[in-house]
């Protein structure tokens, strides 16, 4: 059930993303994702112009002349959204917080999947799985996905990406498109990410606020870790401190990016001061060129 306030928020989200979804799809019959794989269709006799790499040598040897295997792209897709709802997602110094940026990205991808008749599943996680919606099709299910991301009040504030990926491994047996939306402030998830990258088409959507990479000269300020509660007073007027802070932030992000790529996972940065639509358009355009 949707409360009146939540229904209004979802309606505003739909109106805001409707045009963006049309732009991202570039046509009603086009998907932002490729098929989940190739399914075998038939063996038939070789014809001039066929790709010789498709020749089935075992059948050809038995029949005495060449035959080829034909495959078709599996069109039915499953999109699994893994959305970080830990304490650090409330952070935001621009127009949006990281949580709101994740909501925008999740809404765009969910509505794209709805337009393409694909299934969508949802895993909300902190240092454990907070909510799971099995993949389904249809507008009612898409609205429920948006509602859960919008209203989720996590019971825990920590982050453990490994737990979410292990849960995914248990519940998602068929190959899926997996979009992991997080700030990746977690440790020990490398093996689980590698296993997910081997089984699924995984996209790591890194939620980044500019103040995590650069601090202004604002004198003495108090900083608090949203997940541990630790407080620290720092002097932002110190040039050396600001340089070290920036270098540490960028080094952490680069390390996460390298881990993703070594796990055969695509990397997508989603800054809180940027357009999710623009980033997603650039990302999928790049994927199409590459593949």
């Amino acid at each position: 059930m949707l409360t009146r306030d939540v229904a209004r928020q979802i309606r505003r989200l739909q109106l805001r993303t409707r045009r963006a979804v049309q732009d991202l799809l570039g046509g009603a019959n086009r998907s932002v994702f490729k098929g989940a794989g190739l399914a075998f269709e038939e063996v038939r006799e070789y014809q001039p112009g066929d790709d010789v790499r498709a020749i089935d040598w075992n059948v050809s040897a038995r029949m005495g002349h060449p035959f080829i295997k034909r495959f078709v792209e599996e069109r039915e897709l499953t999109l699994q959204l893994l959305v970080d709802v830990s304490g650090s997602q409330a952070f935001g110094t621009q127009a949006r917080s990281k949580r709101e940026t994740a909501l925008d990205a999740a809404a765009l991808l969910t509505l794209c999947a709805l337009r393409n008749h694909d299934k969508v599943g949802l895993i909300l996680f902190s240092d454990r799985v907070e909510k799971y919606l099995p993949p389904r099709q249809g507008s009612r299910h898409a609205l429920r996905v948006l509602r859960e991301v919008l209203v989720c009040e996590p019971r825990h504030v920590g982050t453990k990406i490994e737990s979410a990926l292990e849960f995914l491994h248990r519940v998602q047996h068929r190959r899926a498109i997996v979009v992991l939306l997080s700030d990746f402030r977690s440790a020990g998830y490398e093996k689980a990410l590698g296993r997910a990258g081997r089984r699924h088409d995984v996209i790591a959507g890194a939620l980044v606020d500019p103040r995590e990479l650069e601090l202004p000269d604002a004198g003495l300020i108090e900083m608090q870790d949203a997940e541990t509660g630790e407080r620290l007073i720092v002097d932002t007027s110190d040039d050396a401190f600001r340089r070290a802070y920036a270098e540490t932030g960028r080094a952490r992000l680069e390390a996460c990016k390298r881990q993703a790529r070594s796990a055969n996972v695509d990397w997508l940065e989603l800054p809180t001061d940027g357009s999710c639509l623009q980033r997603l358009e650039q990302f999928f355009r790049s994927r199409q060129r590459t593949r």
Side-chain angles (χ1 to χ4, degrees):
M1 295 292 292
L2 296 177
T3 66
R4 190 170 296 177
D5 181 54
V6 170
R8 278 198 300 267
Q9 292 183 64
I10 289 178
R11 181 61 178 162
R12 284 198 296 269
L13 183 63
Q14 285 180 294
L15 291 172
R16 191 169 75 242
T17 55
R18 180 183 296 165
R19 177 62 185 274
V21 167
Q22 292 171 352
D23 292 344
L24 193 57
L25 287 173
N29 297 318
R30 182 180 169 194
S31 173
V32 296
F33 300 113
K34 290 292 185 183
L38 294 176
F40 174 74
E41 186 177 41
E42 64 175 353
V43 173
R44 65 163 174 79
E45 290 188 52
Y46 176 85
Q47 297 173 2
D50 286 338
D51 188 344
V52 295
R53 292 174 296 183
I55 292 177
D56 185 323
W57 296 106
N58 290 329
V59 174
S60 299
R62 288 199 303 271
M63 302 301 293
H65 57 280
F67 279 74
I68 65 165
K69 289 181 179 179
R70 289 190 70 245
F71 295 86
V72 293
E73 187 177 68
E74 290 184 286
R75 180 59 211 118
E76 182 180 289
L77 299 179
T78 297
L79 170 66
Q80 278 282 12
L81 295 172
L82 275 63
V83 182
D84 185 347
V85 291
S86 63
S88 63
Q89 301 310 300
F91 183 72
T93 62
Q94 308 300 309
R96 297 171 302 177
S97 66
K98 288 189 277 187
R99 175 78 177 266
E100 290 166 334
T101 303
L103 174 61
D104 281 356
L108 282 167
L109 294 170
T110 297
L111 295 178
C112 282
L114 176 64
R115 284 278 298 272
N116 283 310
H117 309 290
D118 295 328
K119 295 180 181 179
V120 185
L122 176 68
I123 298 172
L124 299 175
F125 70 94
S126 53
D127 57 7
R128 62 203 70 191
V129 172
E130 298 278 350
K131 187 77 177 182
Y132 172 57
L133 296 181
R136 291 196 178 95
Q137 294 175 320
S139 57
R140 291 186 65 181
H141 180 69
L143 287 175
R144 189 179 177 199
V145 168
L146 298 185
R147 174 193 176 277
E148 295 297 344
V149 180
L150 181 65
V151 306
C152 175
E153 295 182 3
R155 291 164 293 172
H156 305 274
V157 296
T159 310
K160 192 173 182 183
I161 294 174
E162 181 184 16
S163 295
L165 292 171
E166 287 177 346
F167 183 83
L168 172 73
H169 183 71
R170 292 197 297 272
V171 299
Q172 186 62 45
H173 303 297
R174 293 194 62 189
R175 183 173 174 82
I177 309 294
V178 176
V179 181
L180 172 59
L181 298 170
S182 175
D183 56 11
F184 292 88
R185 293 186 175 274
S186 179
Y189 62 83
E190 294 82 2
K191 286 185 179 179
L193 186 63
R195 181 164 63 172
R198 289 190 294 272
R199 174 177 284 190
H200 306 291
D201 181 359
V202 183
I203 300 165
L207 306 167
V208 185
D209 189 274
R211 289 292 170 260
E212 294 176 309
L213 305 176
E214 186 177 3
L215 285 176
D217 183 351
L220 291 174
I221 62 171
E222 184 179 43
M223 305 175 76
Q224 181 178 12
D225 189 309
E227 299 187 7
T228 66
E230 182 182 357
R231 294 174 181 266
L232 185 67
I233 295 176
V234 299
D235 184 5
T236 61
S237 63
D238 185 335
D239 290 343
F241 170 77
R242 291 204 313 276
R243 281 196 302 272
Y245 179 92
E247 289 169 2
T248 301
R250 291 192 178 91
R252 187 193 74 83
L253 206 57
E254 281 299 315
C256 293
K257 186 176 181 178
R258 286 195 299 272
Q259 288 170 358
R261 288 183 170 172
S262 67
N264 193 35
V265 169
D266 286 340
W267 180 259
L268 167 65
E269 288 183 23
L270 296 169
T272 58
D273 63 344
S275 164
C276 279
L277 171 62
Q278 189 176 52
R279 291 291 178 130
L280 287 169
E281 280 182 324
Q282 293 170 349
F283 175 76
F284 288 117
R285 203 176 296 126
S286 174
R287 275 171 64 106
Q288 287 172 351
R289 285 197 303 267
T290 302
R291 298 186 178 187

